[in-house]
RNA sequence: GGCCCCGUGGUGGAAUGGUAGACACACCGGACUUAAAAUCCGUAGUUCCGAAAGGGACGUGCCCGUUCGAGUCGGGCCGGGGCCA
């Protein structure tokens, strides 16, 4: 019999599905809807194993839901704006547009080779004018409803590349590309008011029951809600206004030993204007950049302004006012009071500048008169001490008392503060969506009128000089003010690419719509029922998309607040690492494994095998999906990605594993091919017993288990159940024809979402004229899933002593009789005294006895 | 430092508080073959007793607890990873 020709078969079925438009989603359907979405790829040029794993999982769910009778939306698009295209332009002289679309074409071809059940009619790229034009319209709508503003902000500025850098692009204080020392600069930037939804973005997390707990916690931490007090310190004998601070620990106010201002605090700016030393200190602080991690780990440095602050509860108590590098302008008010005994950063600072460290919270176990703080601040619970009217209270009561007193005097207010900052969306780059705004000397900021949209990127830009090509373009930014017609200047910033990916799922509902989002279609499809992607997007992308959905709701584009009802974060794809004797990384393709170890192909030089790590170019432990698909076909690589390892964990790619998958593909093909004399399709099953009945039971148990496993994304278990059915078919041998047909049809149907081409081929070989993608999911017969008799373990005092076979509903007394008659039980009980008999129906029987 | 996740054979991993190791990979033995590949059959946690058939003990990172019964639940450690500091 001919072996299964995967290449040939896959090509054929892909073109059949394509010709029949098998995976088109209907916007009008009476079927239940299922929106299955994987995070869309950046068009880097070729797909990698991570894509294969991600899209295979999504495809299995999409095909499974389709077979179960759902109207499935499973689309694909391209997250196509971004810096790599500009880098390619600088390095290779190719235009970002040409580079990007060529990459998309190449990757589309590779994804199609995977045989994904995608509605390609809805495909788009975020760099398509049709898409970013609508994004500009959304921006104007957000502007209209008050969710957009422009403000000065601290940014990481690369003085060589003339651009703003994200925190992740600053490495050891230097620009990741130029290597120049990054400066902190104040620039006018565009912001989305994500903080106005902060409370709701936290509160709604509890309702996302089909999200991983881990992601919900990460988002909660990221938003960082904290309750505290806002109050002021007056300055003694100074003209300057009082310093307003925010603190979550107002209970420790009597332990205060200094007040500290952010280097970016307005008061500091004023003081620095007439104090060159302070100005120099501020400049020094700015060199740290804006990354919190850098600020946290840097040495705590301060500058004594000479000002003296007055304690809010004691007019005679003065505190020094410092400028400190660890105080962030963006958090709270940009000013704090320092209580060294109960805050580690304050303690580090106090030790450096020899300021008092007075404990005011004493743990229950310690003695208030002797309790002292060494090099570790005490942040735990306890009783207040050295704190006048707060003495003896616990921390929570003291906070409440402080709040009541301050609010009573009108000197402070309870405030909720967030770690989350508003979203800075402007980037000084070319390959992004232009922000549709005009700057006019007379009118200020003027949104581009909708009739003038889209603001299209110019094609004739140069990348041979540093800086923003839009800024450098000779004419593009010159425009008349839409409001007063005077000469004005176009905004040359483009959007952060996270904006592009914050609403694409809503566009998929209707990619032809004139409006950014077809509300009726979006109301039908949203929320996404199952979203799948890498955990690295747990915070930013998923938080931005949740914000955007709320903003779109407010602007009238959608009716939901949450974009993704179900979220699944899949693990990475790993591979062993290899090094030669000189310590150079070696690619898996150059390795040959022998019984005595790994060697380099050709030369036979010894190779050291290292641990399995995430596939990365730098470690050369990358296996190209194309090569695998070329050798074994798409079904084999898909089957591998689903087998053995639970989907949320990291999977290790191995050549042996891939070969094992390939053998199973062939085995199914052979099982179907070897099945001689099958009765025609639809032949009813008559009276059966013995091996035929056993096979039939195995078939229906497989349906039952695989259905449940796929519904819960337990792909590895579903795979194991299919192997079991294959083993059962092999064991059963040449039994009743109709039963064998049922078993074979079942294994083909159950494996179809995972190995769709193989399934289609064998479905046809079994005599079906309807495609398997148009065939319904099998149903398990409960009578056959249930067992007539079951084997249960017999224990004495919890130790296994034997096994008996009983009916699932056998009476306890009957089971007890059987158990007590077992020789092994009798032997064990010979020196013991019977106490009681425990029987868990269908599970276990346990004789409890004590030593006589 | 805080919070969260994980720790099971040579390997990936199964296991609603109920017979630990399903299923797969690798290894080994056998059949088929001139040979190899492919395929099929088989053994396989550790250890002890036994010629064998069998039988016993131990076993899910470590310790303690709850329970008739713990990989699973609780407490405390150790190790690995993640997030936030």
């Amino acid at each position: 019999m001919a072996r299964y020709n995967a290449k040939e078969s896959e090509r054929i079925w892909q073109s059949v599905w394509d010709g029949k438009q098998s995976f088109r989603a209907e916007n009008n359907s009476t079927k239940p809807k299922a929106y299955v979405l994987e995070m869309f790829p950046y068009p880097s040029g070729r797909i990698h194993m991570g894509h294969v794993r991600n899209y295979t999982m999504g495809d299995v769910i999409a095909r499974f839901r389709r077979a179960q009778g759902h109207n499935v939306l499973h689309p694909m698009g391209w997250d196509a704006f971004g810096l790599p295209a500009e880098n390619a332009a600088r390095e290779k002289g190719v235009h970002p547009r040409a580079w990007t679309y060529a990459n998309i074409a190449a990757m589309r071809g590779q994804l199609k080779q995977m045989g994904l059940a995608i509605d390609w009619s809805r495909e788009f790229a975020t760099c398509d004018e049709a898409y970013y034009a609508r994004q500009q319209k959304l921006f104007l709508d957000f502007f209209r409803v008050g969710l957009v503003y422009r403000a000065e902000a601290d940014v990481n500025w690369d003085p060589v590349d003339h651009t703003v850098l994200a925190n992740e692009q600053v490495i050891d204080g230097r620009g990741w590309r130029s290597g120049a020392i990054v400066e902190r600069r104040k620039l006018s930037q565009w912001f989305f008011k994500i903080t106005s939804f902060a409370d709701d973005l936290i509160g709604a997390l509890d309702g996302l029951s089909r999200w991983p707990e881990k992601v919900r916690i990460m988002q909660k931490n990221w938003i960082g809600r904290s309750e505290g007090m806002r109050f002021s310190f007056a300055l003694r004998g100074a003209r300057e206004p009082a310093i307003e601070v925010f603190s979550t620990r107002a209970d420790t106010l009597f332990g205060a030993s200094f007040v500290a201002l952010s280097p970016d605090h307005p008061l500091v700016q004023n003081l620095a204007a007439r104090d060159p030393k302070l100005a120099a200190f501020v400049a020094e602080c700015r060199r740290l950049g804006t990354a919190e991690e850098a600020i946290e780990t840097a040495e705590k440095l301060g500058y004594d302004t000479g000002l003296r602050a007055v304690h809010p509860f004691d007019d005679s108590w003065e505190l020094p006012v410092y400028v400190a590098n660890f105080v962030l302008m963006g958090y709270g008010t940009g000013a704090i009071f320092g209580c060294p005994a109960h805050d580690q950063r304050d303690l580090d600072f106090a030790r450096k500048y020899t300021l008092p460290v007075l404990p005011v919270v004493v743990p229950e176990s310690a003695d208030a008169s002797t309790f002292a703080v060494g090099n570790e601040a005490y942040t735990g619970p306890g009783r207040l001490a050295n704190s006048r009217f707060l003495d003896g209270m616990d921390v929570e009561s003291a906070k409440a008392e402080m709040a009541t007193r301050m609010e009573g005097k009108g000197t402070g207010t309870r405030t909720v503060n967030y770690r989350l900052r508003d979203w800075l969306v402007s980037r000084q780059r070319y390959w992004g969506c232009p922000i549709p705004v005009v700057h006019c000397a007379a009118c200020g900021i003027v949104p581009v009128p909708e009739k003038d949209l889209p603001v299209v990127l110019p094609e004739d830009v140069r990348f041979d000089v540093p800086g923003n090509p839009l800024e450098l373009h000779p004419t593009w930014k010159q425009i008349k003010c839409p409001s007063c017609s005077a000469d004005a200047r176009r905004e040359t910033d483009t959007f952060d690419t996270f904006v592009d990916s914050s609403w694409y799922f809503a566009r998929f509902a209707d990619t032809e719509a004139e409006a950014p989002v077809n509300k009726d279609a979006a109301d039908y499809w949203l929320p996404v029922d199952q979203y799948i992607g890498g955990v690295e997007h747990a915070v930013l992308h998923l938080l931005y998309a949740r914000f955007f959905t709320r903003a779109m709701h407010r602007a009238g584009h959608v009716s939901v607040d949450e974009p993704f009802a179900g979220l699944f974060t899949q693990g990475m794809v790993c591979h062993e690492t290899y090094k030669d004797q000189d310590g150079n990384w070696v690619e898996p393709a150059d390795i040959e494994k022998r019984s005595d170890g790994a060697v380099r192909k050709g030369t036979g030089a010894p190779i050291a095998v290292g641990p399995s790590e995430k596939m990365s170019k730098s470690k050369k432990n990358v296996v190209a999906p194309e090569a695998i698909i070329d050798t074994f076909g798409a079904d084999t690589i898909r089957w591998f990605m689903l087998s053995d390892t639970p989907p949320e964990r990291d999977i290790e790619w191995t050549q042996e594993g891939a070969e094992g998958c390939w053998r199973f593909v062939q085995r199914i093909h052979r099982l179907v091919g070897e099945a001689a004399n099958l009765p025609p399709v639809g032949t009813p099953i008559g009276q059966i017993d013995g091996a035929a009945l056993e096979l039939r039971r195995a078939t229906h148990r497989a349906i039952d288990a695989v259905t449940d496993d796929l519904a819960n994304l337990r792909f590895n278990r579903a795979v194991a159940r299919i192997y079991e059915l294959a083993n059962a078919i092999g064991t059963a041998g040449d039994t009743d024809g109709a039963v064998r047909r049922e078993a074979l049809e079942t294994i083909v149907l159950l494996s179809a979402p995972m190995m769709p081409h193989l399934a289609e081929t064998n479905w046809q070989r079994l005599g079906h004229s309807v495609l398997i993608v148009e065939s319904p999911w099998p149903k398990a017969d409960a009578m056959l899933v249930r067992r007539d008799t079951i084997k249960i373990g017999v224990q004495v005092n919890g130790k296994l002593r034997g096994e008996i076979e009983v009916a699932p509903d056998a009476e306890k007394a009957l089971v007890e009789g059987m158990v007590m008659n077992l020789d092994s039980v009798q032997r064990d009980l010979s020196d013991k005294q019977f106490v009681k008999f425990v029987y868990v129906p269908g599970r276990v029987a346990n004789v409890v006895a004590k030593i006589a």
Side-chain angles (χ1 to χ4, degrees):
Chain A
M1 182 191 15
R3 301 188 84 201
Y4 175 60
N5 185 336
K7 230 175 180 172
E8 170 82 1
S9 185
E10 291 178 1
R11 192 181 50 74
I12 290 170
W13 294 117
Q14 284 165 19
S15 88
V16 168
W17 297 329
D18 198 40
K20 297 190 115 179
Q21 301 275 298
S22 293
F23 309 119
R24 240 187 143 117
E26 299 298 330
N27 273 13
N28 293 299
S29 170
T30 53
K31 296 176 185 173
K33 69 97 179 177
Y35 187 174
V36 181
L37 184 67
E38 300 93 68
M39 291 180 184
F40 66 165
Y42 177 79
S44 59
R46 46 186 33 188
I47 61 168
H48 54 65
M49 286 293 188
H51 291 129
V52 174
R53 194 179 192 201
N54 191 195
Y55 299 130
T56 298
M57 288 180 193
D59 203 51
V60 170
I61 297 165
R63 287 174 179 272
F64 172 58
R65 290 298 176 208
R66 159 174 293 278
Q68 284 190 315
H70 288 79
N71 178 31
V72 173
L73 174 56
H74 186 220
M76 181 60 70
W78 308 95
D79 188 14
F81 275 134
L83 202 52
E86 287 190 58
N87 291 340
R90 289 202 165 86
E91 286 155 20
K92 297 174 193 153
V94 56
H95 193 279
R97 174 182 307 282
W99 184 84
T100 302
Y101 281 103
N103 285 350
I104 288 173
M107 288 176 75
R108 185 192 297 118
Q110 294 177 338
L111 288 182
K112 287 198 169 181
Q113 282 196 336
M114 281 182 63
L116 302 176
I118 279 171
D119 180 353
W120 287 102
S121 73
R122 299 186 189 229
E123 177 196 358
F124 63 79
T126 57
C127 64
D128 292 345
E129 195 182 302
Y131 184 78
Y132 74 69
R134 269 85 183 189
Q135 187 161 301
Q136 293 173 341
K137 160 78 167 111
L138 281 179
F139 171 83
L140 296 180
D141 289 342
F142 291 1
F143 193 85
R144 182 169 46 76
V145 298
L147 290 171
V148 175
Y149 65 95
R150 189 171 165 83
E152 293 249 301
D154 283 327
V155 295
N156 297 304
W157 179 258
D158 185 320
V160 171
D161 276 357
H162 294 275
T163 188
V164 166
L165 298 176
N167 282 337
E168 307 82 75
Q169 294 166 339
V170 181
I171 297 155
D172 295 332
R174 291 172 183 272
W176 67 291
R177 239 177 57 80
S178 68
I181 291 179
V182 168
E183 300 167 3
R184 184 147 42 130
R185 273 207 191 174
K186 274 206 182 303
L187 288 179
S188 265
Q189 302 281 299
W190 288 100
F191 289 88
F192 284 162
K193 263 192 209 169
I194 189 170
T195 55
S196 68
F197 291 105
D199 248 340
D200 185 40
L201 286 168
I202 283 190
L205 287 170
D206 291 335
L208 295 174
S209 58
R210 292 201 296 120
W211 278 44
E213 180 68 11
K214 180 172 68 167
V215 174
R216 288 188 283 169
I217 290 170
M218 283 166 69
Q219 293 223 345
K220 198 170 177 178
N221 290 341
W222 187 265
I223 298 166
R225 184 181 200 276
S226 54
E227 294 177 7
M229 295 292 300
R230 211 179 252 260
F231 55 93
S232 297
F233 285 85
L235 292 174
R236 170 102 345 129
R239 294 189 312 271
E240 279 78 11
I243 296 169
E244 191 174 41
V245 300
F246 171 81
S247 174
T248 58
R249 294 298 304 273
D251 55 303
T252 64
L253 187 51
F254 289 107
S257 51
F258 63 96
V259 169
L261 301 168
S262 162
D264 301 307
H265 196 279
L267 175 57
V268 176
Q269 317 271 304
N270 292 343
L271 295 174
R274 46 180 203 263
D275 181 350
K277 273 196 194 155
L278 176 55
F281 178 76
V282 169
E284 170 76 26
C285 293
R286 293 224 164 124
R287 270 204 281 284
L288 256 179
T290 63
E292 275 177 51
E293 192 191 341
I295 290 167
E296 272 304 323
T297 51
E299 190 188 3
K300 309 286 174 286
L301 294 175
Y303 180 91
D304 189 345
T305 60
L307 295 173
R308 291 296 174 259
V310 181
H311 194 283
F313 285 92
D314 185 342
D315 207 41
S316 67
W317 185 348
E318 290 182 1
L319 299 159
V321 178
Y322 282 82
V323 177
N325 63 348
F326 63 90
V327 182
L328 301 172
M329 191 60 217
Y331 184 83
T333 59
I336 62 158
F337 77 83
C339 176
H342 306 293
D343 182 286
Q344 192 60 46
R345 291 174 305 181
D346 295 351
L347 182 62
D348 295 345
F349 190 81
R351 293 294 183 214
K352 183 167 173 77
Y353 296 100
T354 55
L355 298 164
V357 179
L358 176 67
V360 289
V361 178
V362 180
E364 295 286 357
S365 58
D367 179 356
S369 58
T370 58
F371 180 69
V373 165
N375 284 321
E376 262 187 44
Y378 179 71
T379 56
R383 298 269 165 205
L384 273 286
N386 307 316
S387 293
R388 308 186 189 187
F389 53 83
L390 299 177
D391 281 353
M393 292 183 183
D394 63 39
V395 168
E396 286 314 308
S397 312
K399 282 182 183 174
E401 177 65 19
M402 266 295 184
T404 306
R405 290 202 181 220
M406 284 189 184
E407 290 191 327
K409 290 201 300 176
T411 57
T413 49
R414 284 178 228 246
T415 311
V416 175
N417 195 58
Y418 298 93
R419 205 185 79 94
L420 180 70
R421 305 265 63 84
D422 275 334
W423 179 12
L424 196 169
V425 292
S426 41
R427 297 287 183 272
Q428 292 69 45
R429 302 221 172 92
Y430 167 72
W431 194 232
C433 171
I435 299 177
V437 162
V438 171
H439 299 274
C440 170
C443 310
I445 289 165
V446 183
V448 172
E450 280 187 28
K451 67 176 173 55
D452 296 339
L453 291 185
V455 177
V456 178
L457 286 171
E459 285 296 303
D460 52 335
V461 282
R462 36 193 306 205
F463 293 95
D464 54 347
V465 282
N468 179 359
L470 291 178
E471 185 70 41
L472 296 166
H473 192 280
T475 56
W476 185 75
K477 66 184 172 188
Q478 295 165 14
I479 189 177
K480 300 292 181 197
C481 171
S483 177
C484 70
S485 300
D487 283 345
R489 183 177 62 80
R490 211 186 260 296
E491 173 64 65
T492 56
D493 287 355
T494 54
F495 284 119
D496 178 3
T497 56
F498 275 116
V499 175
D500 313 336
S501 54
S502 289
W503 68 284
Y504 76 109
F505 47 87
R507 183 69 189 167
F508 276 135
D510 180 357
T511 51
E512 304 296 317
E514 187 51 42
V517 177
N518 172 341
K519 188 158 186 292
D520 290 338
D523 285 352
Y524 172 68
W525 286 114
L526 293 179
V528 173
D529 296 281
Q530 187 63 61
Y531 197 38
I532 309 178
V535 73
E536 65 273 20
H537 293 112
V539 177
L540 294 183
H541 163 58
L542 289 167
L543 190 61
Y544 293 148
R546 295 179 66 220
F547 157 72
F548 233 80
T549 304
R550 284 164 171 76
M552 287 193 291
H553 189 176
R554 185 180 285 187
H557 292 289
V558 297
S559 303
V560 296
D561 282 334
E562 288 295 340
F564 313 120
L567 172 71
F568 189 86
T569 52
Q570 102 263 10
M572 300 180 299
V573 182
C574 300
H575 195 283
E576 280 182 335
T577 46
Y578 306 108
K579 270 186 178 175
D580 65 18
Q581 284 178 307
D582 301 328
N584 301 312
W585 300 107
V586 182
E587 289 178 18
D590 294 335
I591 301 292
E592 190 180 330
K593 292 235 174 144
R594 295 186 184 165
S595 54
D596 57 340
V599 298
R600 187 186 270 276
K601 265 186 199 162
T603 69
I607 293 289
V609 178
S612 184
E613 296 185 53
K614 181 185 181 179
M615 284 190 180
S616 73
K617 280 183 198 157
S618 61
K619 288 181 179 156
K620 293 198 175 171
N621 60 338
V622 177
V623 175
E626 310 101 278
I628 304 299
I629 292 174
D630 200 50
T631 313
F632 299 116
D635 287 337
T636 296
I637 200 171
R638 291 168 61 114
W639 188 249
F640 184 103
M641 288 301 177
L642 301 163
S643 303
D644 296 347
T645 304
E648 68 278 8
R649 287 201 210 167
D650 291 351
I651 193 171
E652 185 185 353
W653 180 268
T654 63
Q655 182 67 22
E656 298 76 27
E659 284 163 8
C661 292
W662 170 237
R663 282 199 297 273
F664 188 63
V665 166
Q666 292 297 347
R667 187 168 160 210
I668 289 197
H669 191 74
R670 207 166 45 241
L671 281 175
V672 172
E674 284 170 353
N677 307 320
L678 287 185
V681 172
T683 302
I685 294 171
Q687 278 293 328
I688 50 165
D689 55 16
L693 183 58
E694 277 314 301
L695 178 57
R696 185 132 207 254
R697 287 178 185 279
T699 300
H700 283 263
R701 280 200 293 272
I703 296 172
D704 186 56
V706 171
T707 304
D708 189 53
D709 287 335
L710 290 187
N712 292 292
L713 283 66
R714 294 187 296 246
F715 305 114
N716 58 316
R717 293 212 320 194
V719 163
R721 300 289 89 88
I722 289 170
Y723 274 112
E724 282 180 346
L725 180 55
N727 292 343
I729 294 170
T731 309
D734 191 16
T735 181
D736 182 273
V739 170
R740 275 188 300 138
R741 164 170 284 284
E742 182 188 47
L744 290 168
E745 289 189 346
T746 298
I747 200 168
V748 170
L749 284 165
L750 294 181
S751 61
M754 313 189 203
M755 301 190 285
H757 313 88
L758 176 72
E760 208 68 86
T761 295
N762 283 313
W763 194 240
Q764 191 182 52
R765 292 168 89 208
L766 283 165
H768 290 271
S769 51
V770 175
L771 293 183
I772 205 166
V773 295
E774 288 161 9
S775 303
W777 192 250
K779 280 197 171 55
D781 181 337
M783 291 303 290
L784 291 163
V785 173
R786 192 177 160 278
R787 294 165 194 266
D788 289 341
T789 62
I790 45 174
K791 288 176 179 168
I792 62 166
V794 175
Q795 302 175 336
V796 175
N797 286 340
K799 284 189 190 299
L800 189 66
R801 282 296 173 262
E803 164 179 288
I804 56 172
E805 193 159 350
V806 297
D809 53 358
E811 294 290 333
K812 182 178 178 182
L814 174 76
V815 177
E816 180 167 359
M818 293 170 73
V819 166
M820 297 312 287
N821 270 332
L822 285 179
D823 288 347
S824 56
V825 172
Q826 283 303 323
R827 216 180 306 132
D828 201 327
L829 287 179
S830 62
D831 59 345
K832 299 188 182 70
Q833 193 184 342
F834 177 86
V835 176
K836 68 171 172 174
F837 177 74
V838 178
Y839 177 53
V840 182
R843 291 291 174 186
V844 79
N846 188 17
V847 180
V848 184
K850 65 180 179 187
I851 309 288

